[in-house]
Amino acid sequence: MTFDKHILVTGGAGFIGSHVVRLLVQKYPNYRIVNLDKLTYAGNLENLTDIQEAPNYCFVHADICDQKAIERVFSDYQITDVIHLAAESHVDRSIHGPMEFVLSNVVGTVKLLEVARTSWSNKSNHVFHHISTDEVYGSLGESGFFNESSPYDPRSPYSASKASSDHFVRAYYHTFGLPIKISNCSNNYGSHQFPEKLIPLMIHNIIENKPLPVYGKGDNIRDWLWVEDHAKAIDTIFHNGEIGHSYNIGGLNEWTNLELVNFLCKCMDEKLGREIGTSANLITHIEDRAGHDKRYAIDASKLCSALGWQPTVSFEQGLDLTIDWYLSNKEWVKKVTSGAYQRYYQKMYSSK
Ligand code: NAD
Ligand code: TYD
């Protein structure tokens, strides 16, 4: 079978990566999608069982820090493009152990850049799309938004590692002419998210009648985006974005953590047939996260006006779909929360 593009998607077994892989495999039968993933605690091939037999999909188990393995993949699969999502992604874990973040997010990204640079002789036919976060811009006060010109001001080991990787990606564009694009997205939610992040953790704990740990007063603000809208934005930027440019992605959907958790409690009480207020009684304020960024909010007007992207799913709709997914996929949750997750949870929450 011949393909028009051979796209390496790194981190495709993770939360956002699995949505990106599914979208590309289904929408572009003329592209081969090579999903490369180390399968850390956050990577799970069961996220992709529905497309694993597709003739334009294949999986490679490898670490982006293993440069020889990446070189083999570029040569064996004649990789024409990269969409790079593989990363350690959880802020709390980065506080407890920054080094994994330096290795996968910084060193791994540079190794990938190096293989792309040396493999692609005619740079004009390729795209290296780096997936990043709004957290590289630091923390906002009560007003204002991050746009593409906002200065970088990362404050957690996670955001510092992502900022560093963004700088390396841009350096490869300026220094070597590597055809790069970067997108910086706000907080995602949806199906298949590992239950260490706020929304799936709260859904899981509500189902289990466990305390709902809200850091500090719960007045920190995040801008939430439906994960499939992020995947569509990546598709749009990958195909139509300008080489060398960055694009911010966000849903104009700001919530304080406490408002969000209360809303989730109400929705879950309705779904589970519990008296309204039952789940909210589980809310427990615990010690704040160290260096907790106050507010993130994205100005996505460049992406909307230049490339015509718009979010399609409202927060109410998206949360409803997310809750339904977790309620119908208890086996998935049970599997990913057994063993190491229990130890992580104890370490994270019992001391606070
Ligand atoms: P995730 O933790 O769910 O998935 C990460 C995936 O990368 C996993 O499948 C893991 O096995 C893989 N991986 C990790 N280290 C690897 C390595 N060294 N080699 C190969 N594979 C490796 O993360 P996510 O939430 O899906 O985030 C994906 C990307 O999007 C990350 O780069 C993250 O920084 C970025 N991002 C996430 C959000 C969010 O809200 N989750 C928002 C903006 C940007
Ligand atoms: P998280 O989902 O970890 O994403 P990020 O830190 O990358 O924004 O957290 C979202 C917000 O929820 C953040 O302000 C921290 C807060 N939070 C809690 O209050 N309790 C929790 O148990 C978790 C995981 C997060």
mmCIF file with all atom_site columns, all heavy atoms in Angstrom, residues 236-254:
data_model
loop_
_atom_site.group_PDB
_atom_site.id
_atom_site.type_symbol
_atom_site.label_atom_id
_atom_site.label_alt_id
_atom_site.label_comp_id
_atom_site.label_asym_id
_atom_site.label_entity_id
_atom_site.label_seq_id
_atom_site.pdbx_PDB_ins_code
_atom_site.Cartn_x
_atom_site.Cartn_y
_atom_site.Cartn_z
_atom_site.occupancy
_atom_site.B_iso_or_equiv
_atom_site.pdbx_formal_charge
_atom_site.auth_seq_id
_atom_site.auth_comp_id
_atom_site.auth_asym_id
_atom_site.auth_atom_id
_atom_site.pdbx_PDB_model_num
ATOM 1   N N   . THR A 1 236 ? -5.799  20.837 12.175 1.00 0.00 ? 236 THR A N   1
ATOM 2   C CA  . THR A 1 236 ? -5.848  22.098 11.415 1.00 0.00 ? 236 THR A CA  1
ATOM 3   C C   . THR A 1 236 ? -4.465  22.748 11.330 1.00 0.00 ? 236 THR A C   1
ATOM 4   O O   . THR A 1 236 ? -4.024  23.175 10.251 1.00 0.00 ? 236 THR A O   1
ATOM 5   C CB  . THR A 1 236 ? -6.831  23.073 12.116 1.00 0.00 ? 236 THR A CB  1
ATOM 6   O OG1 . THR A 1 236 ? -8.100  22.450 12.175 1.00 0.00 ? 236 THR A OG1 1
ATOM 7   C CG2 . THR A 1 236 ? -6.939  24.394 11.381 1.00 0.00 ? 236 THR A CG2 1
ATOM 8   N N   . ILE A 1 237 ? -3.787  22.823 12.472 1.00 0.00 ? 237 ILE A N   1
ATOM 9   C CA  . ILE A 1 237 ? -2.468  23.495 12.495 1.00 0.00 ? 237 ILE A CA  1
ATOM 10  C C   . ILE A 1 237 ? -1.443  22.680 11.702 1.00 0.00 ? 237 ILE A C   1
ATOM 11  O O   . ILE A 1 237 ? -0.656  23.220 10.931 1.00 0.00 ? 237 ILE A O   1
ATOM 12  C CB  . ILE A 1 237 ? -2.011  23.706 13.962 1.00 0.00 ? 237 ILE A CB  1
ATOM 13  C CG1 . ILE A 1 237 ? -2.954  24.677 14.667 1.00 0.00 ? 237 ILE A CG1 1
ATOM 14  C CG2 . ILE A 1 237 ? -0.567  24.210 14.012 1.00 0.00 ? 237 ILE A CG2 1
ATOM 15  C CD1 . ILE A 1 237 ? -2.847  24.677 16.181 1.00 0.00 ? 237 ILE A CD1 1
ATOM 16  N N   . PHE A 1 238 ? -1.477  21.369 11.906 1.00 0.00 ? 238 PHE A N   1
ATOM 17  C CA  . PHE A 1 238 ? -0.532  20.496 11.184 1.00 0.00 ? 238 PHE A CA  1
ATOM 18  C C   . PHE A 1 238 ? -0.657  20.722 9.672  1.00 0.00 ? 238 PHE A C   1
ATOM 19  O O   . PHE A 1 238 ? 0.343   20.845 8.959  1.00 0.00 ? 238 PHE A O   1
ATOM 20  C CB  . PHE A 1 238 ? -0.804  19.026 11.542 1.00 0.00 ? 238 PHE A CB  1
ATOM 21  C CG  . PHE A 1 238 ? -0.002  18.054 10.723 1.00 0.00 ? 238 PHE A CG  1
ATOM 22  C CD1 . PHE A 1 238 ? 1.344   17.849 10.998 1.00 0.00 ? 238 PHE A CD1 1
ATOM 23  C CD2 . PHE A 1 238 ? -0.575  17.371 9.651  1.00 0.00 ? 238 PHE A CD2 1
ATOM 24  C CE1 . PHE A 1 238 ? 2.098   16.972 10.222 1.00 0.00 ? 238 PHE A CE1 1
ATOM 25  C CE2 . PHE A 1 238 ? 0.171   16.500 8.874  1.00 0.00 ? 238 PHE A CE2 1
ATOM 26  C CZ  . PHE A 1 238 ? 1.510   16.293 9.162  1.00 0.00 ? 238 PHE A CZ  1
ATOM 27  N N   . HIS A 1 239 ? -1.907  20.802 9.180  1.00 0.00 ? 239 HIS A N   1
ATOM 28  C CA  . HIS A 1 239 ? -2.098  20.940 7.730  1.00 0.00 ? 239 HIS A CA  1
ATOM 29  C C   . HIS A 1 239 ? -1.972  22.381 7.226  1.00 0.00 ? 239 HIS A C   1
ATOM 30  O O   . HIS A 1 239 ? -1.433  22.608 6.154  1.00 0.00 ? 239 HIS A O   1
ATOM 31  C CB  . HIS A 1 239 ? -3.465  20.371 7.321  1.00 0.00 ? 239 HIS A CB  1
ATOM 32  C CG  . HIS A 1 239 ? -3.471  18.876 7.290  1.00 0.00 ? 239 HIS A CG  1
ATOM 33  N ND1 . HIS A 1 239 ? -3.954  18.112 8.319  1.00 0.00 ? 239 HIS A ND1 1
ATOM 34  C CD2 . HIS A 1 239 ? -3.005  18.010 6.361  1.00 0.00 ? 239 HIS A CD2 1
ATOM 35  C CE1 . HIS A 1 239 ? -3.801  16.829 8.021  1.00 0.00 ? 239 HIS A CE1 1
ATOM 36  N NE2 . HIS A 1 239 ? -3.232  16.733 6.838  1.00 0.00 ? 239 HIS A NE2 1
ATOM 37  N N   . ASN A 1 240 ? -2.502  23.341 8.000  1.00 0.00 ? 240 ASN A N   1
ATOM 38  C CA  . ASN A 1 240 ? -2.628  24.699 7.449  1.00 0.00 ? 240 ASN A CA  1
ATOM 39  C C   . ASN A 1 240 ? -1.824  25.772 8.180  1.00 0.00 ? 240 ASN A C   1
ATOM 40  O O   . ASN A 1 240 ? -1.778  26.912 7.708  1.00 0.00 ? 240 ASN A O   1
ATOM 41  C CB  . ASN A 1 240 ? -4.111  25.120 7.444  1.00 0.00 ? 240 ASN A CB  1
ATOM 42  C CG  . ASN A 1 240 ? -4.958  24.121 6.665  1.00 0.00 ? 240 ASN A CG  1
ATOM 43  O OD1 . ASN A 1 240 ? -4.517  23.603 5.640  1.00 0.00 ? 240 ASN A OD1 1
ATOM 44  N ND2 . ASN A 1 240 ? -6.157  23.834 7.152  1.00 0.00 ? 240 ASN A ND2 1
ATOM 45  N N   . GLY A 1 241 ? -1.256  25.446 9.332  1.00 0.00 ? 241 GLY A N   1
ATOM 46  C CA  . GLY A 1 241 ? -0.491  26.448 10.078 1.00 0.00 ? 241 GLY A CA  1
ATOM 47  C C   . GLY A 1 241 ? 0.788   26.815 9.334  1.00 0.00 ? 241 GLY A C   1
ATOM 48  O O   . GLY A 1 241 ? 1.283   26.046 8.512  1.00 0.00 ? 241 GLY A O   1
ATOM 49  N N   . GLU A 1 242 ? 1.321   27.994 9.657  1.00 0.00 ? 242 GLU A N   1
ATOM 50  C CA  . GLU A 1 242 ? 2.552   28.432 8.977  1.00 0.00 ? 242 GLU A CA  1
ATOM 51  C C   . GLU A 1 242 ? 3.781   27.859 9.651  1.00 0.00 ? 242 GLU A C   1
ATOM 52  O O   . GLU A 1 242 ? 3.862   27.817 10.889 1.00 0.00 ? 242 GLU A O   1
ATOM 53  C CB  . GLU A 1 242 ? 2.630   29.959 9.001  1.00 0.00 ? 242 GLU A CB  1
ATOM 54  C CG  . GLU A 1 242 ? 1.775   30.573 7.910  1.00 0.00 ? 242 GLU A CG  1
ATOM 55  C CD  . GLU A 1 242 ? 2.160   32.017 7.659  1.00 0.00 ? 242 GLU A CD  1
ATOM 56  O OE1 . GLU A 1 242 ? 3.353   32.301 7.410  1.00 0.00 ? 242 GLU A OE1 1
ATOM 57  O OE2 . GLU A 1 242 ? 1.245   32.845 7.725  1.00 0.00 ? 242 GLU A OE2 1
ATOM 58  N N   . ILE A 1 243 ? 4.736   27.473 8.822  1.00 0.00 ? 243 ILE A N   1
ATOM 59  C CA  . ILE A 1 243 ? 6.008   26.958 9.349  1.00 0.00 ? 243 ILE A CA  1
ATOM 60  C C   . ILE A 1 243 ? 6.665   28.041 10.217 1.00 0.00 ? 243 ILE A C   1
ATOM 61  O O   . ILE A 1 243 ? 6.668   29.225 9.868  1.00 0.00 ? 243 ILE A O   1
ATOM 62  C CB  . ILE A 1 243 ? 6.948   26.585 8.179  1.00 0.00 ? 243 ILE A CB  1
ATOM 63  C CG1 . ILE A 1 243 ? 6.373   25.419 7.362  1.00 0.00 ? 243 ILE A CG1 1
ATOM 64  C CG2 . ILE A 1 243 ? 8.360   26.262 8.678  1.00 0.00 ? 243 ILE A CG2 1
ATOM 65  C CD1 . ILE A 1 243 ? 6.296   24.098 8.074  1.00 0.00 ? 243 ILE A CD1 1
ATOM 66  N N   . GLY A 1 244 ? 7.188   27.611 11.378 1.00 0.00 ? 244 GLY A N   1
ATOM 67  C CA  . GLY A 1 244 ? 7.888   28.542 12.273 1.00 0.00 ? 244 GLY A CA  1
ATOM 68  C C   . GLY A 1 244 ? 6.954   29.257 13.236 1.00 0.00 ? 244 GLY A C   1
ATOM 69  O O   . GLY A 1 244 ? 7.417   29.984 14.105 1.00 0.00 ? 244 GLY A O   1
ATOM 70  N N   . HIS A 1 245 ? 5.632   29.030 13.081 1.00 0.00 ? 245 HIS A N   1
ATOM 71  C CA  . HIS A 1 245 ? 4.675   29.758 13.925 1.00 0.00 ? 245 HIS A CA  1
ATOM 72  C C   . HIS A 1 245 ? 4.217   28.931 15.127 1.00 0.00 ? 245 HIS A C   1
ATOM 73  O O   . HIS A 1 245 ? 4.221   27.712 15.098 1.00 0.00 ? 245 HIS A O   1
ATOM 74  C CB  . HIS A 1 245 ? 3.425   30.119 13.106 1.00 0.00 ? 245 HIS A CB  1
ATOM 75  C CG  . HIS A 1 245 ? 3.611   31.348 12.291 1.00 0.00 ? 245 HIS A CG  1
ATOM 76  N ND1 . HIS A 1 245 ? 2.720   32.393 12.285 1.00 0.00 ? 245 HIS A ND1 1
ATOM 77  C CD2 . HIS A 1 245 ? 4.609   31.708 11.448 1.00 0.00 ? 245 HIS A CD2 1
ATOM 78  C CE1 . HIS A 1 245 ? 3.147   33.336 11.481 1.00 0.00 ? 245 HIS A CE1 1
ATOM 79  N NE2 . HIS A 1 245 ? 4.289   32.944 10.944 1.00 0.00 ? 245 HIS A NE2 1
ATOM 80  N N   . SER A 1 246 ? 3.763   29.697 16.161 1.00 0.00 ? 246 SER A N   1
ATOM 81  C CA  . SER A 1 246 ? 3.093   29.084 17.322 1.00 0.00 ? 246 SER A CA  1
ATOM 82  C C   . SER A 1 246 ? 1.624   29.434 17.274 1.00 0.00 ? 246 SER A C   1
ATOM 83  O O   . SER A 1 246 ? 1.269   30.531 16.822 1.00 0.00 ? 246 SER A O   1
ATOM 84  C CB  . SER A 1 246 ? 3.610   29.683 18.627 1.00 0.00 ? 246 SER A CB  1
ATOM 85  O OG  . SER A 1 246 ? 4.850   29.200 18.925 1.00 0.00 ? 246 SER A OG  1
ATOM 86  N N   . TYR A 1 247 ? 0.784   28.540 17.774 1.00 0.00 ? 247 TYR A N   1
ATOM 87  C CA  . TYR A 1 247 ? -0.661  28.792 17.856 1.00 0.00 ? 247 TYR A CA  1
ATOM 88  C C   . TYR A 1 247 ? -1.152  28.429 19.252 1.00 0.00 ? 247 TYR A C   1
ATOM 89  O O   . TYR A 1 247 ? -0.877  27.321 19.740 1.00 0.00 ? 247 TYR A O   1
ATOM 90  C CB  . TYR A 1 247 ? -1.411  27.945 16.817 1.00 0.00 ? 247 TYR A CB  1
ATOM 91  C CG  . TYR A 1 247 ? -1.085  28.340 15.400 1.00 0.00 ? 247 TYR A CG  1
ATOM 92  C CD1 . TYR A 1 247 ? 0.031   27.790 14.750 1.00 0.00 ? 247 TYR A CD1 1
ATOM 93  C CD2 . TYR A 1 247 ? -1.847  29.276 14.723 1.00 0.00 ? 247 TYR A CD2 1
ATOM 94  C CE1 . TYR A 1 247 ? 0.361   28.165 13.457 1.00 0.00 ? 247 TYR A CE1 1
ATOM 95  C CE2 . TYR A 1 247 ? -1.526  29.663 13.427 1.00 0.00 ? 247 TYR A CE2 1
ATOM 96  C CZ  . TYR A 1 247 ? -0.423  29.109 12.798 1.00 0.00 ? 247 TYR A CZ  1
ATOM 97  O OH  . TYR A 1 247 ? -0.094  29.484 11.512 1.00 0.00 ? 247 TYR A OH  1
ATOM 98  N N   . ASN A 1 248 ? -1.864  29.350 19.884 1.00 0.00 ? 248 ASN A N   1
ATOM 99  C CA  . ASN A 1 248 ? -2.497  29.044 21.164 1.00 0.00 ? 248 ASN A CA  1
ATOM 100 C C   . ASN A 1 248 ? -3.875  28.416 20.924 1.00 0.00 ? 248 ASN A C   1
ATOM 101 O O   . ASN A 1 248 ? -4.607  28.848 20.028 1.00 0.00 ? 248 ASN A O   1
ATOM 102 C CB  . ASN A 1 248 ? -2.678  30.322 21.991 1.00 0.00 ? 248 ASN A CB  1
ATOM 103 C CG  . ASN A 1 248 ? -1.381  30.738 22.683 1.00 0.00 ? 248 ASN A CG  1
ATOM 104 O OD1 . ASN A 1 248 ? -0.390  30.013 22.618 1.00 0.00 ? 248 ASN A OD1 1
ATOM 105 N ND2 . ASN A 1 248 ? -1.401  31.868 23.331 1.00 0.00 ? 248 ASN A ND2 1
ATOM 106 N N   . ILE A 1 249 ? -4.214  27.441 21.772 1.00 0.00 ? 249 ILE A N   1
ATOM 107 C CA  . ILE A 1 249 ? -5.500  26.739 21.644 1.00 0.00 ? 249 ILE A CA  1
ATOM 108 C C   . ILE A 1 249 ? -6.209  26.792 22.998 1.00 0.00 ? 249 ILE A C   1
ATOM 109 O O   . ILE A 1 249 ? -5.610  26.420 24.016 1.00 0.00 ? 249 ILE A O   1
ATOM 110 C CB  . ILE A 1 249 ? -5.307  25.251 21.260 1.00 0.00 ? 249 ILE A CB  1
ATOM 111 C CG1 . ILE A 1 249 ? -4.316  25.097 20.094 1.00 0.00 ? 249 ILE A CG1 1
ATOM 112 C CG2 . ILE A 1 249 ? -6.640  24.594 20.929 1.00 0.00 ? 249 ILE A CG2 1
ATOM 113 C CD1 . ILE A 1 249 ? -3.906  23.648 19.811 1.00 0.00 ? 249 ILE A CD1 1
ATOM 114 N N   . GLY A 1 250 ? -7.452  27.264 23.002 1.00 0.00 ? 250 GLY A N   1
ATOM 115 C CA  . GLY A 1 250 ? -8.196  27.309 24.267 1.00 0.00 ? 250 GLY A CA  1
ATOM 116 C C   . GLY A 1 250 ? -9.671  27.499 24.003 1.00 0.00 ? 250 GLY A C   1
ATOM 117 O O   . GLY A 1 250 ? -10.082 27.853 22.892 1.00 0.00 ? 250 GLY A O   1
ATOM 118 N N   . GLY A 1 251 ? -10.472 27.293 25.034 1.00 0.00 ? 251 GLY A N   1
ATOM 119 C CA  . GLY A 1 251 ? -11.919 27.240 24.835 1.00 0.00 ? 251 GLY A CA  1
ATOM 120 C C   . GLY A 1 251 ? -12.698 28.404 25.412 1.00 0.00 ? 251 GLY A C   1
ATOM 121 O O   . GLY A 1 251 ? -13.925 28.362 25.431 1.00 0.00 ? 251 GLY A O   1
ATOM 122 N N   . LEU A 1 252 ? -12.013 29.470 25.902 1.00 0.00 ? 252 LEU A N   1
ATOM 123 C CA  . LEU A 1 252 ? -12.697 30.585 26.581 1.00 0.00 ? 252 LEU A CA  1
ATOM 124 C C   . LEU A 1 252 ? -13.671 30.023 27.611 1.00 0.00 ? 252 LEU A C   1
ATOM 125 O O   . LEU A 1 252 ? -14.861 30.319 27.602 1.00 0.00 ? 252 LEU A O   1
ATOM 126 C CB  . LEU A 1 252 ? -13.456 31.458 25.569 1.00 0.00 ? 252 LEU A CB  1
ATOM 127 C CG  . LEU A 1 252 ? -12.641 32.452 24.741 1.00 0.00 ? 252 LEU A CG  1
ATOM 128 C CD1 . LEU A 1 252 ? -13.551 33.273 23.863 1.00 0.00 ? 252 LEU A CD1 1
ATOM 129 C CD2 . LEU A 1 252 ? -11.776 33.358 25.618 1.00 0.00 ? 252 LEU A CD2 1
ATOM 130 N N   . ASN A 1 253 ? -13.165 29.175 28.471 1.00 0.00 ? 253 ASN A N   1
ATOM 131 C CA  . ASN A 1 253 ? -14.021 28.412 29.382 1.00 0.00 ? 253 ASN A CA  1
ATOM 132 C C   . ASN A 1 253 ? -13.350 28.306 30.758 1.00 0.00 ? 253 ASN A C   1
ATOM 133 O O   . ASN A 1 253 ? -12.810 27.275 31.127 1.00 0.00 ? 253 ASN A O   1
ATOM 134 C CB  . ASN A 1 253 ? -14.258 27.020 28.764 1.00 0.00 ? 253 ASN A CB  1
ATOM 135 C CG  . ASN A 1 253 ? -15.094 26.135 29.649 1.00 0.00 ? 253 ASN A CG  1
ATOM 136 O OD1 . ASN A 1 253 ? -16.057 26.587 30.262 1.00 0.00 ? 253 ASN A OD1 1
ATOM 137 N ND2 . ASN A 1 253 ? -14.722 24.875 29.739 1.00 0.00 ? 253 ASN A ND2 1
ATOM 138 N N   . GLU A 1 254 ? -13.386 29.439 31.489 1.00 0.00 ? 254 GLU A N   1
ATOM 139 C CA  . GLU A 1 254 ? -12.654 29.504 32.762 1.00 0.00 ? 254 GLU A CA  1
ATOM 140 C C   . GLU A 1 254 ? -13.548 29.114 33.942 1.00 0.00 ? 254 GLU A C   1
ATOM 141 O O   . GLU A 1 254 ? -14.676 29.603 34.055 1.00 0.00 ? 254 GLU A O   1
ATOM 142 C CB  . GLU A 1 254 ? -12.153 30.929 32.996 1.00 0.00 ? 254 GLU A CB  1
ATOM 143 C CG  . GLU A 1 254 ? -11.094 31.367 32.025 1.00 0.00 ? 254 GLU A CG  1
ATOM 144 C CD  . GLU A 1 254 ? -10.621 32.778 32.329 1.00 0.00 ? 254 GLU A CD  1
ATOM 145 O OE1 . GLU A 1 254 ? -10.256 33.052 33.483 1.00 0.00 ? 254 GLU A OE1 1
ATOM 146 O OE2 . GLU A 1 254 ? -10.648 33.619 31.407 1.00 0.00 ? 254 GLU A OE2 1
#
